[in-house]
Amino acid sequence: MTTSSILGQFDLCADKTQFPDLDNGYYYPVDVRIRLFGDATRWAMVAELLGYGPRAGNLVDFMYRFGNCLTRGEPGFGGSLDRVDNMAEIDPDGAEVCAGGVPVVVRGTALTVGAGAGTPLQDLFRMLAPASRGLLLADEKELRAGIPSDLPELLRLDEWNQPEEFWDVRPSEHETFRMIAEVLESGDPTRYRPTLPANTHWSHWPDAGTL
């Protein structure tokens, strides 16, 4: 388990378009998270991209898993989780706007959002996210679905600096993922000392979701 081998896996997945991409034209970005896990011989990274997909018709949590100890699947995209239980009530006409006066039900919990009728759904979900991250992002069972249950958590990132295009800058060439690899190799979360400003907030990706 070395920094170079970890970065090699990241690069290989990026080459296969199996690495988290915040500029996806099919989904409006809402929230993100990265969690790192490791011990003396094992490592894993789970990245979540939460976004509203008009074609999917839901708020979706996209899971990406990487590591040398995955318990299922291959490194890269690891599936998706629909988050909203009552989309038919929120947007009964399929117009991609909020009907108004209807709570957003997530995992059986009704969440009230101060959004009026006609609010675009991506704006509705973006309003919801800051106070409801615990419901919208993966819980422990969902998170551990593809990694060992006993693997200690090293670091959690709720924001970071992300390259605009992995075609131009591979993960191994970017500060964020080089430092992530160092944390995973060493088991030392203080190795993550970013100098670049975080840009994972949805406002930095205005073209995402517009296809």
Side-chain angles (χ1 to χ4, degrees), residues 117-188:
T119 301
L121 291 183
Q122 64 269 25
D123 294 338
L124 170 73
F125 296 136
R126 286 166 175 171
M127 294 168 65
L128 181 71
S132 305
R133 302 184 87 227
L135 278 174
L136 298 172
L137 294 170
D139 61 24
E140 200 67 16
K141 181 178 179 180
E142 292 166 336
L143 186 81
R144 297 277 183 173
I147 65 173
S149 60
D150 65 333
L151 196 60
E153 183 171 355
L154 299 172
L155 184 64
R156 180 182 303 191
L157 302 178
D158 288 327
E159 60 178 12
W160 61 89
N161 185 275
Q162 176 94 354
E164 290 187 11
E165 291 284 351
F166 284 112
W167 297 115
D168 298 327
V169 179
R170 306 180 88 200
S172 63
E173 299 167 337
H174 193 330
E175 175 186 275
T176 296
F177 298 101
R178 291 183 64 84
M179 287 189 296
I180 281 175
E182 291 175 8
V183 170
L184 290 168
E185 179 189 27
S186 66
D188 180 5

